[in-house]
């Protein structure tokens, strides 16, 4: 079985303005590196469909979804960018990009559950893990991973799913949506203090949060992951694993001050894959979150995909 790769040209139409780090070139850089590394041939490529708003409403309130649709369709029609919060700007391509990003996550989930792929990676933007049940935040509109996790639970009938978040920023949106839902276990690390300054006190007993001081390097982080994430994941025995794959904890990334390198992403992915192989029939759906140094991002995605694809 293969690793499915979901993306869509529409994801490059979302543009938050000149010089913004969450830029369309991120996906182009990943694509270039997939080809030059040769890993491209090991991936089964799919165009992401548009998400159904019914699926979106498994993670976001109906009022939020209706309001966002209204606002983003106005922006699409007028061509005038609009800031929805201090960090999150919508442009004319944002609505379609957001529908594709969440659509990729849900389609990847179905492909993996149906056995059409062993695991999947979604190269999408906008990212999702800061979007809460009722608010856009931190470059995020729809919480792609939370939507896919709820789709696996509520629509596909899985009993337990785990969410792994290794972005340098705390996945406050995913925590907001999944805290208290005992069918989900979320494990994460994040630089602290750093935007969005949350996570030091978990919002639910199903959250394993590791706040990490700036300048922590991979070796120390691996020890913490081994001691804190792994026993919780082993106990939980997830039937499927979702990854909020942000690569901004890389030491070349200027949005954070952690010291990870490609080998650390490879190691983390291998440990997650071990859990998935033991408990979840290997089922993993990984979705791109942050990662803003284009070269480090692309190299780290390849390291992540090498493990997922087993090449
Ligand atoms: Zn981030």
């Amino acid at each position: 079985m293969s690793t499915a790769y979901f993306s869509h040209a529409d994801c490059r139409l979302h543009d938050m303005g000149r010089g913004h780090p969450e830029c369309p070139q991120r996906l182009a850089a990943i694509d270039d590196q997939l080809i030059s590394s040769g890993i491209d041939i090991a991936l089964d490529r799919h165009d992401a469909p548009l998400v159904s708003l019914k699926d979106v409403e498994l993670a976001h309130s109906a009022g939020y979804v209706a309001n966002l649709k209204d606002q983003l369709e106005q922006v699409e029609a007028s061509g005038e960018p609009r800031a929805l919060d201090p960090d999150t700007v919508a442009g004319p391509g944002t609505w379609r990009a957001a529908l594709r990003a969440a659509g990729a996550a849900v389609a990847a989930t179905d492909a993996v559950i149906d056995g059409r792929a062993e695991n999947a990676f979604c190269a999408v933007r906008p990212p999702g893990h800061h979007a809460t049940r009722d608010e856009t935040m931190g470059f995020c509109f729809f919480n792609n991973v939370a939507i896919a996790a709820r789709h696996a639970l509520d629509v596909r009938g899985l009993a337990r799913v785990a969410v792994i978040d290794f972005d340098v920023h705390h996945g406050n949106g995913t925590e907001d949506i999944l805290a208290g839902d005992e069918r989900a276990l979320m494990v994460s690390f994040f630089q602290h203090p750093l935007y969005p300054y949350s996570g030091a006190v978990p919002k639910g007993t199903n959250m394993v949060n590791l706040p990490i001081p700036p300048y922590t390097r991979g070796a120390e982080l691996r020890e913490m992951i081994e001691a804190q994430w792994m026993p919780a994941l082993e106990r939980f025995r997830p039937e499927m694993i979702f990854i909020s794959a942000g690569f901004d904890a890389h030491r070349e990334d200027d949005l954070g001050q952690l010291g990870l390198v490609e080998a650390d992403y490879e190691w983390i992915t291998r440990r997650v894959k071990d859990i998935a192989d033991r408990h979840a029939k290997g089922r993993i759906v990984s979705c791109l979150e942050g990662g803003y140094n284009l070269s480090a991002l692309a190299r780290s995605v390849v390291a992540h995909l090498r493990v997922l694809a087993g090449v």
Side-chain angles (χ1 to χ4, degrees):
M1 266 209 294
S2 58
T3 292
Y5 185 89
F6 284 83
S7 191
H8 197 282
D10 285 353
C11 290
R12 300 191 193 186
L13 300 178
H14 166 59
D15 191 343
M16 299 222 289
R18 211 182 144 83
H20 196 286
E22 207 291 273
C23 60
Q25 290 76 18
R26 296 174 65 229
L27 296 183
I30 291 171
D31 250 347
D32 284 351
Q33 191 69 25
L34 292 182
I35 293 164
S36 66
S37 68
I39 198 175
D40 200 39
I41 55 166
L43 305 174
D44 187 14
R45 281 184 178 261
H46 300 273
D47 265 343
L50 301 169
V51 75
S52 129
L53 295 184
K54 272 206 177 84
D55 276 321
V56 175
E57 287 175 7
L58 300 172
H60 295 283
S61 68
Y64 171 77
V65 176
N67 182 262
L68 190 66
K69 177 174 191 281
D70 198 40
Q71 293 215 53
L72 295 190
E73 283 181 346
Q74 283 173 25
V75 170
E76 189 177 63
S78 70
E80 289 298 316
R82 185 182 299 181
L84 303 188
D85 66 62
D87 298 301
T88 314
V89 179
T94 300
W95 179 235
R96 288 190 74 79
L99 294 174
R100 296 285 183 195
V106 172
T109 301
D110 283 334
V112 169
I113 292 176
D114 292 339
R116 285 177 278 122
E118 184 186 353
N119 52 41
F121 181 74
C122 301
V124 292
R125 49 185 297 280
H129 75 151
H130 294 306
T132 69
R133 185 172 159 74
D134 293 306
E135 282 179 320
T136 60
M137 195 170 154
F139 320 161
C140 300
F141 299 83
F142 287 150
N143 194 314
N144 308 317
V145 161
I147 291 166
R150 278 276 167 77
H151 177 81
L153 293 166
D154 293 340
V155 178
R156 301 306 306 264
L158 298 194
R160 292 178 309 282
V161 302
V163 174
I164 316 273
D165 188 327
F166 58 67
D167 191 277
V168 78
H169 304 98
H170 175 231
N172 65 293
T174 316
E175 179 177 71
D176 177 68
I177 293 163
L178 295 180
D181 183 343
E182 300 295 334
R183 303 169 301 167
L185 171 71
M186 180 177 179
V187 305
S188 69
F189 70 76
F190 45 89
Q191 182 179 324
H192 187 77
L194 183 69
Y195 180 87
Y197 305 100
S198 52
V201 180
K203 281 179 117 180
T205 53
N206 61 330
M207 298 286 143
V208 176
N209 296 7
L210 300 184
I212 305 292
Y215 307 109
T216 302
R217 311 201 95 178
E220 298 158 76
L221 192 64
R222 291 185 197 195
E223 279 179 29
M224 289 185 259
I225 286 173
E226 207 62 73
Q228 311 272 341
W229 284 12
M230 289 306 146
L233 287 166
E234 285 288 356
R235 272 196 307 275
F236 187 69
R237 295 181 297 113
E239 294 179 340
M240 183 158 181
I241 297 180
F242 294 87
I243 304 180
S244 265
F247 297 93
D248 41 9
H250 195 286
R251 73 174 170 206
E252 292 169 33
D253 199 295
D254 292 334
L255 266 73
Q257 287 81 40
L258 292 189
L260 271 62
V261 295
E262 293 93 303
D264 297 309
Y265 291 112
E266 185 187 326
W267 181 88
I268 294 169
T269 310
R270 200 171 295 288
R271 295 301 284 125
V272 173
K273 198 162 183 250
D274 288 344
I275 297 281
D277 287 343
R278 254 201 311 288
H279 299 292
K281 301 179 186 164
R283 293 165 175 161
I284 298 172
V285 168
S286 176
C287 295
L288 182 65
E289 300 283 0
Y292 304 100
N293 177 304
L294 297 183
S295 171
L297 166 66
R299 287 181 277 124
S300 302
V301 168
V302 167
H304 181 55
L305 280 170
R306 277 193 199 289
V307 179
L308 288 181
V311 295

